Amino acid sequence: MTFGEKLSELLEERNMTQKEFAKTLNIAPTTLNGYIKDKRQPDFELVKKIASALSVSVDLLLGGEGFELTAKELSLITKLRTLSEDQQKMVYTLVSISAKERKQRDL
């Protein structure tokens, strides 16, 4: 899958128009259309900005396996980043304990 095909797919999954997304990126809609049609290629900084705006990894955007965050996962990460270091450690501990318990149940 090309960069443009992947970008088009991600926009469609999010029910986002090219015009809306171009505005988010602060670029002309015709420029975005050039990326989607694989007639142009964005620079590395814009690729990072696109990936961030779509909550996906750069790797996924460029055709690798990468990862894609759900809205719920993105919300959790955003909230986690607002916590103090001690609070983050407590969350990590809770997640680790929960994961171990789940693994034991699955055995």
Side-chain angles (χ1 to χ4, degrees), residues 38-51:
D38 291 309
K39 293 182 179 180
R40 302 179 69 169
Q41 293 186 351
D43 64 30
F44 185 66
E45 290 303 314
L46 187 55
V47 170
K48 291 191 313 186
K49 191 173 180 181
I50 291 169

Side-chain angles (χ1 to χ4, degrees), residues 34-90:
Y35 301 149
I36 290 172
K37 300 234 184 259
D38 291 309
K39 293 182 179 180
R40 302 179 69 169
Q41 293 186 351
D43 64 30
F44 185 66
E45 290 303 314
L46 187 55
V47 170
K48 291 191 313 186
K49 191 173 180 181
I50 291 169
S52 177
L54 295 173
S55 301
V56 298
S57 66
V58 169
D59 181 51
L60 180 82
L61 191 57
L62 296 178
E65 291 186 25
F67 64 87
E68 184 173 352
L69 297 175
T70 65
K72 192 173 188 178
E73 291 167 333
L74 183 59
S75 174
L76 286 170
I77 290 169
T78 301
K79 290 174 183 173
L80 181 66
R81 289 180 176 167
T82 66
L83 301 176
S84 70
E85 189 174 330
D86 287 340
Q87 290 170 319
Q88 288 181 11
K89 286 178 185 177
M90 289 187 330

Side-chain angles (χ1 to χ4, degrees), residues 11 14 16-29 32 46 49-55:
L11 291 177
R14 288 156 176 75
M16 189 177 291
T17 67
Q18 289 183 31
K19 187 175 181 178
E20 290 170 332
F21 194 60
K23 188 174 182 178
T24 299
L25 299 174
N26 200 28
I27 62 173
L32 180 62
L46 187 55
K49 191 173 180 181
I50 291 169
S52 177
L54 295 173
S55 301

